[in-house]
Amino acid sequence: MAYSIKEILLLTDDLIFVDKVRKILDAKYYNLTVSSNLPDKFFSAEKNTYSLFIVDILSKSFNAIQLIDKIKNYNPSGEGRILVVSQNRKIENIVGPSPRVSGYISKPVDFDELKSAVKRNVGESKKILIVDDDREFSDLLKMFLDAQGFEAYVENNPKRAVEAVKNISPSLIFLDIMMPGKDGFEVMQELQDERKTASIPIIVITALKFESYQDRGMLTGLPEMIYKDIDEKFLLQQIEKKINEEVSQSFVGDSKPRVLLADDQTELLILVKETVERAGFEVFTASDGEEAIKVVYESNPDIIIMDYNMPLKDGLTAAAELKENPLFAHIPIIIVTAYGEKQAKLKGLSMGIDDYLIKPVDTDELVARIKMVLKRNKQVLDTNPLSRLPGNPSIQSRIERALSEKKKFAVLYVDLNNFKAYNDVYGFEAGDRVIKATANLLVKITMPNEKSGDFIGHIGGDDFIVVTSYEKAEEIALKITKSFDEIAPSFYKKEDLEKGYITSLDRQGTLKRFPLLAISVAIVHNGLKDLTSYAQISNIGSDLKKAAKAFEKSAYVMDKRKN
C-alpha cells in the first residue's frame, strides 16, 4: 500500500525542540521543514502543501501570534492545522520545586484574583512595576492598580526591564512570559543574579497556562501548550491528531463526531475505543459514572456509551444527572448492561435513554448503533449547530419552568454590538469564530463546573440568553462584560486595533466607522416586580438591550423598575 508523505512546517529557533520533533517523526510518513520564519514556498502561486504548522510560541526571532495570523490570512484552509506549543527548560523558575515567583495570574484577568494576589505580595512601598509588551493590557492593568491606591509603572520593552527594576525599586513586579527579544524567563534569571533585585516578589501574568490548555486559547480557538519537557509520546499524539483532523475534514467536510465511552472494565474499554476510533470517531473515556460526568462537561461529546454497572455512580444515575442539565440533555445516551431486567430498561427509557446494548457487546453492532442514533438525533436536535447550545424551544421551556417555580430568578439577554459590521469586513468564518468564542465564554463564566444549575441558550446569530438566580445575575453580567473586553482584541488585525474602529456600510448603505466589538447584557428579573409570561420577559429584555447598547463599550443594564 502506498503512503502519501505529510509535509510539516516547524517554526522555531529552539534547536533542542527541533531535535525532539525530528526524533519522534518517522521519515517514511512525514517530511519536516524547519524555519524561523515562513519560507518562500509558503507564498508560492500554488499555495503550499503543508499538512501541519507547528509554531513555537516562545521563539525570540519572530512574533508567534503575528505569524499565526499570517498563516490564517494567506492560507485560510490551514487554520485548523496549526499546533501551538513550546518547550522551555527555564520553566523551572515558575513550576519547579522552588519556584521563583510569588503568584500566577492568567489572561483574561480575574480582577478579584488580581487584587488578592497584590494584597498577599506587596510590601510597604506602594510601587508596582508591570513588564509586558502588550501596551493595551499593561495600560489597563496600570489603571486598575492606580485606582486601588498603588503607584504603578509600565515597561513595555523587555530589554529595559531589569534596568527599570533597579531604577524604580518596586515592591512587586508583574512579569509577562511571552515577550519578543527577551522573554520573561531571561528577565527572571537576570533579576535573580543580583542581590538588590533577587528578593522582589514576581507575579507571572500571561496568556499561557503551564502544562494545560489555557483559557484564552479555549475562547479564541488558539490552544497553547508550554512544557518544561514535552513528553515525546504526547507530542506525537498531538501531531497525529491534527494531521488526522485535516485528512478527515478534506474528505468528510465535518470534524469527527465525539464519542464518550464509560466502563470500569479497562481491557474492554481499550478494545472498544480502538474499534470506534477506526470507524472514524474521536473517542474520550471514563472509568466510572462520576468521571463520565466530568468528561462530558470538558469534551461535550456527540454521543455517550455508558456501562450500567459502574462504581461511584452507575450508568443510569449518571445519565439522569446529564438529562437534568439543559446544556447536555440533548446528548444521546446508549446504556450497555449485562442485566436483562425489564424494569431497568423501562426506567432508562422513561428517562430518555436512546438505546440499550447487552454484554458481551458486538463492536460492529455498537458502531452501527452509534451511527444510527447520531443520524436520528441530528434530525431532531434542538441545539444551535454553531455554538452547540440549546435553541429557542429549550429557552422558552426553561423560562416557563422558572416562572412556575415561583422563586426569584433572572434572565440575561446577551448581544454583541457592531457584529454585522465585523462580519462584513472580516467574513463569515471570522464571525463564526467570534460567536463560538462568545458561547464558550458564557459557558465558562455561567457554568464553571458540571454541578451548576444555571442555563445558557443560543437564540440565534449573536444573541444569547442566560437563566440564573436573582442573587447572581449582576455578578455574572459584570464578568461577561469584563471578560469579553479582554478577549475582543484577539479578533482584530493590528492596524484595526490601533485605529480603534473599522469602516463598513451601515444598513442604509452609507459608509461609516464602527467601533470595535463590545457586548451588551440586559438583566430581566422578578426581584422588584412579578413576571408572568415568556412574552413579557422578552419585551422587557428588548427594551433593556437598547439601553445597554447606548453605551460605547461593553455594558449591562439591570431593570430597576417596580411596575
Side-chain angles (χ1 to χ4, degrees), residues 279-299:
F281 298 92
E282 183 178 0
V283 180
F284 302 86
T285 60
S287 57
D288 59 65
E290 282 193 1
E291 185 184 3
I293 292 174
K294 290 180 181 177
V295 175
V296 168
Y297 184 83
E298 292 165 359
S299 62

Side-chain angles (χ1 to χ4, degrees), residues 310-428:
M310 291 188 295
L312 300 182
K313 274 192 177 98
D314 63 57
L316 284 182
T317 303
E321 284 193 28
L322 292 170
K323 291 296 182 184
E324 283 294 313
N325 189 322
L327 200 59
F328 307 122
H330 67 281
I331 302 175
I333 298 175
I334 297 176
I335 294 291
V336 179
T337 177
Y339 300 98
E341 287 94 339
K342 182 179 179 181
Q343 289 304 316
K345 286 189 177 182
L346 289 174
K347 180 182 176 184
L349 291 171
S350 68
M351 288 165 33
I353 298 300
D354 293 79
D355 209 346
Y356 268 93
L357 279 173
I358 305 298
K359 287 183 178 180
V361 175
D362 182 293
T363 52
D364 291 335
E365 181 186 359
L366 174 61
V367 170
R369 295 281 188 104
I370 291 172
K371 290 179 178 178
M372 179 192 70
V373 171
L374 284 176
K375 183 178 179 180
R376 184 177 66 203
N377 198 59
K378 190 174 183 180
Q379 295 171 345
V380 298
L381 196 59
D382 169 35
T383 56
N384 185 285
L386 183 61
S387 66
R388 302 173 65 83
L389 292 175
N392 288 301
S394 292
I395 291 170
Q396 183 167 348
S397 174
R398 181 63 180 84
I399 291 177
E400 288 174 348
R401 193 178 93 191
L403 286 167
S404 67
E405 289 174 346
K406 305 296 182 184
K407 296 178 183 177
K408 285 190 177 182
F409 70 95
V411 179
L412 280 61
Y413 285 87
V414 182
D415 187 12
L416 297 182
N417 303 347
N418 309 309
F419 180 72
K420 182 184 180 301
Y422 178 89
N423 224 19
D424 292 343
V425 172
Y426 279 83
F428 290 108

Side-chain angles (χ1 to χ4, degrees), residues 472-527:
K472 292 194 297 183
E474 196 164 6
E475 178 189 354
I476 288 174
L478 180 60
K479 284 184 178 179
I480 290 171
T481 53
K482 278 188 174 182
S483 299
F484 184 85
D485 284 345
E486 287 168 2
I487 67 168
S490 65
F491 302 136
Y492 288 91
K493 296 175 183 176
K494 184 179 179 182
E495 54 267 31
D496 289 335
L497 274 179
E498 289 174 348
K499 288 189 301 183
Y501 65 86
I502 56 176
T503 304
S504 181
L505 297 175
D506 63 14
R507 296 183 187 276
Q508 287 72 43
T510 306
L511 194 63
K512 172 180 176 182
R513 289 181 179 181
F514 288 88
L516 303 184
L517 285 169
I519 199 164
S520 297
V521 183
I523 307 175
V524 185
H525 61 88
N526 60 353

Side-chain angles (χ1 to χ4, degrees), residues 27-40:
K28 288 186 298 183
Y29 306 111
Y30 302 104
N31 180 37
L32 183 67
T33 301
V34 180
S35 178
S36 59
N37 208 329
L38 290 173
D40 292 338

Side-chain angles (χ1 to χ4, degrees), residues 1 22 31 61 92 107 112 126 130 142 144 166 176 214 220 291 341 419 423 448 469 484 503 521 529 547 557 560-561:
M1 182 181 290
R22 285 196 190 282
N31 180 37
S61 56
E92 190 77 22
K107 299 177 183 177
D112 290 334
K126 293 284 186 178
I130 304 158
K142 182 181 187 307
F144 175 78
K166 292 177 181 177
D176 185 21
Q214 47 81 26
T220 60
E291 185 184 3
E341 287 94 339
F419 180 72
N423 224 19
S469 66
F484 184 85
T503 304
V521 183
K529 63 181 177 185
V557 172
K560 303 290 186 183
R561 296 169 293 188

Side-chain angles (χ1 to χ4, degrees), residues 105-122:
I105 303 287
S106 63
K107 299 177 183 177
V109 169
D110 182 322
F111 285 102
D112 290 334
E113 183 184 351
L114 178 64
K115 204 183 298 182
S116 299
V118 173
K119 190 176 179 180
R120 287 194 306 269
N121 292 286
V122 77

Side-chain angles (χ1 to χ4, degrees), residues 396 399-400 403 413 532-542:
Q396 183 167 348
I399 291 177
E400 288 174 348
L403 286 167
Y413 285 87
T532 57
S533 70
Y534 175 76
Q536 178 199 17
I537 292 171
S538 181
N539 289 334
I540 296 172
S542 180

